[in-house]
Amino acid sequence: MDQNAMKKQAAQAALQYVKPDTIVGVGSGSTVNLFIEALGTMRNQIKGAVAASKNSEALLRKQGIEVFSANDVDSLDIYVDGADEINPQKMMIKGGGAALTREKIVAALAKTFICIVDKSKQVEVLSAEFPLPVEVIPMARSQVARKLASLGGAPEYREGVVTDNGNIILDVYRFPILEPIEMEKNLNNIAGVVTNGIFALRGADIVIVGTPEGAQIID
Ligand code: 5RP
């Protein structure tokens, strides 16, 4: 079974957590795009969605789903998003699609974070393989890169990418993260860092993994 089919299984299985008459938090990325497509079949049962990227916003509208601003809601019942990596503690690396900051904001509104991934995303140690994305205010790019290098990583400027918030992304290579909560806090304290892609302080509550044997639910 190919990766896309496994992503589709996870996306489809997430529909069982969508409650009628609620506003659904929706992340971004290719797995979430499949979830949005599936959510379209429930468009008449939900109030709408809050999206974590302009791209997801456009796709939700295309499905006939009303999009609310994060400022319009006090809380969300669920937030559904993908991940670049997820560990057994349900902590994640996110931001492969450069939407990490808005993803963290919408996730923070949700009672339940549902992470939908294919099985290739499951790892023991975060960021040992996938580089850690860090969203940075453009004027702080060089100094933040120096600081990340002094912490042992190899930061690379993601050429040609501007986030939905008008910032840039540094991808930190060779940066295995052994203490995700501490590292998430430390990196967010660097002047010029908007957010880093470690989702450990607020990890997932439920993980749905697409596998050749079907969708596996870890809660
Ligand atoms: C975007 C993200 C995505 O959730 C992450 O990159 C996974 O993407 P995909 O579902 O395409 O594999 O964090 O910023």
Side-chain angles (χ1 to χ4, degrees):
M1 178 180 272
D2 71 11
Q3 194 182 17
N4 201 53
M6 289 191 273
K7 287 182 179 190
K8 206 165 183 170
Q9 274 184 346
Q12 191 70 34
L15 283 188
Q16 66 189 284
Y17 295 98
V18 177
K19 293 195 190 128
D21 289 322
T22 58
I23 298 176
V24 182
V26 175
S28 65
S30 59
T31 317
V32 165
N33 293 350
L34 296 166
F35 173 69
I36 293 173
E37 212 178 301
L39 193 62
T41 63
M42 292 183 70
R43 70 176 67 81
N44 297 323
Q45 295 164 54
I46 58 171
K47 277 194 191 146
V50 173
S53 70
K54 290 182 182 170
N55 186 57
S56 293
E57 212 173 297
L59 291 176
L60 284 160
R61 290 212 171 91
K62 220 165 140 187
Q63 287 295 333
I65 296 168
E66 187 174 351
V67 178
F68 294 86
S69 147
N71 288 316
D72 292 338
V73 301
D74 294 331
S75 72
L76 296 164
D77 188 50
I78 60 167
Y79 174 68
V80 180
D81 200 355
D84 299 303
E85 290 185 337
I86 184 153
N87 73 9
Q89 292 73 44
K90 304 193 188 100
M91 297 167 173
M92 297 155 281
I93 295 294
K94 294 184 43 56
L100 59 164
T101 300
R102 292 189 182 203
E103 288 171 346
K104 241 177 224 191
I105 293 168
V106 185
L109 281 170
K111 292 185 193 123
T112 304
F113 186 140
I114 300 167
C115 179
I116 50 174
V117 287
D118 65 87
K119 70 179 206 150
S120 72
K121 307 293 186 66
Q122 291 178 295
V123 298
E124 285 303 315
V125 177
L126 293 175
S127 198
E129 300 289 334
F130 194 87
L132 173 68
V134 181
E135 180 164 352
V136 176
I137 303 281
M139 71 171 284
R141 185 179 101 197
S142 299
Q143 71 190 73
V144 171
R146 281 194 296 274
K147 183 74 188 164
L148 292 168
S150 78
L151 293 172
E156 276 184 26
Y157 173 42
R158 202 184 292 181
E159 294 278 352
V161 170
V162 177
T163 70
D164 283 353
N165 314 307
N167 299 313
I168 60 122
I169 297 286
L170 292 175
D171 289 306
V172 191
Y173 288 81
R174 299 193 293 280
F175 200 51
I177 294 162
L178 301 178
E179 294 185 25
I181 290 180
E182 280 314 298
M183 188 57 86
E184 181 175 358
K185 286 185 199 165
N186 290 345
L187 296 183
N188 281 344
N189 274 335
I190 300 173
V193 168
V194 180
T195 316
N196 70 81
I198 306 171
F199 281 57
L201 288 161
R202 204 281 183 253
D205 301 297
I206 297 170
V207 185
I208 307 178
V209 189
T211 78
E213 294 76 43
Q216 184 197 347
I217 294 176
I218 306 167
D219 55 11

